[in-house]
Amino acid sequence: MITYGYSEDAVYTEMQQLAKSYVEVPQLRFTIDNPMLSKDKKEALLLTAIGKKPSELTKAFVQLVLKEDRESVMQFIANSYVTLYRQQKNVIRGRLITAAAVSAATEQKMRKMVESKTNGTVEFETEVNPDIIGGFILEYDSYRMDASVKSKLNSILQTLKK
């Protein structure tokens, strides 16, 4: 019996990267689905899409998927793993959009606020969008808080039009 020194967290990170690779490189799916491409080349391509040094467990899983001719559903498998991991570990995705870059302290403060409201761990993504003029937009789960200057101005404009 083979034992793998792995962490489900490492596999989670690798599956996130694989899912991201499928989105960023649409040709990946067509290439993996190509029956003329050898299993060895498909394996090398998938492992490259996963990242620098995939865990032994992920390598073995990719080999199993290829052996069973299930590579056409690899994108679905990666996305499913990410979703199930987040459900199991109570991980919430959050996004903070600001007009200018925020400090690490401000980002951490927002993360803590979301974590206290959701009783979960938050994976936080920050984005700078000068179009919102000022303020911020915070999204997590199905919640969206728009405290941007742009939305406030639009609200005032709508009120004045009435």
Side-chain angles (χ1 to χ4, degrees):
M1 182 171 147
I2 300 173
T3 57
Y4 297 99
Y6 75 94
S7 162
E8 60 210 19
D9 300 336
V11 174
Y12 171 64
T13 302
E14 292 164 353
M15 290 298 111
Q16 280 183 303
Q17 181 56 50
L18 181 58
K20 184 178 175 186
S21 293
Y22 269 103
V23 170
E24 290 177 351
V25 184
Q27 300 88 348
L28 177 60
R29 182 181 179 111
F30 298 113
T31 305
I32 294 298
D33 287 350
N34 183 344
M36 300 303 290
L37 193 63
S38 72
K39 298 284 184 190
D40 290 343
K41 288 190 176 164
K42 288 181 182 186
E43 179 182 350
L45 188 57
L46 286 169
L47 294 177
T48 299
I50 287 168
K52 293 186 186 212
K53 192 163 179 6
S55 65
E56 291 302 315
L57 184 63
T58 298
K59 286 180 190 176
F61 180 70
V62 167
Q63 290 168 352
L64 176 64
V65 168
L66 291 167
K67 178 182 170 213
E68 298 298 323
D69 294 321
R70 305 302 281 162
E71 61 267 22
S72 63
V73 293
M74 196 63 187
Q75 182 178 13
F76 174 76
I77 292 169
N79 284 318
S80 295
Y81 185 89
V82 169
T83 300
L84 292 170
Y85 178 94
R86 286 181 179 148
Q87 287 173 350
Q88 184 71 29
K89 301 283 187 175
N90 196 23
V91 175
I92 288 88
R93 291 192 60 177
R95 189 165 82 144
L96 177 64
I97 305 166
T98 56
V102 295
S103 68
T106 302
E107 183 181 331
Q108 186 64 16
K109 191 175 181 181
M110 296 298 271
R111 179 191 318 272
K112 291 289 182 199
M113 181 190 73
V114 173
E115 286 177 347
S116 71
K117 291 191 180 297
T118 61
N119 294 321
T121 305
V122 176
E123 285 183 352
F124 222 56
E125 179 183 315
T126 57
E127 180 183 321
V128 175
N129 182 351
D131 292 345
I132 69 169
I133 304 169
F136 65 90
I137 300 170
L138 176 64
E139 300 172 335
Y140 64 91
D141 249 353
S142 60
Y143 178 79
R144 178 180 166 97
M145 180 177 159
D146 189 341
S148 66
V149 171
K150 182 178 182 177
S151 72
K152 301 281 189 231
L153 291 174
N154 282 338
S155 176
I156 292 169
L157 181 62
Q158 292 303 317
T159 304
L160 291 173
K161 283 183 176 180
K162 289 181 182 177

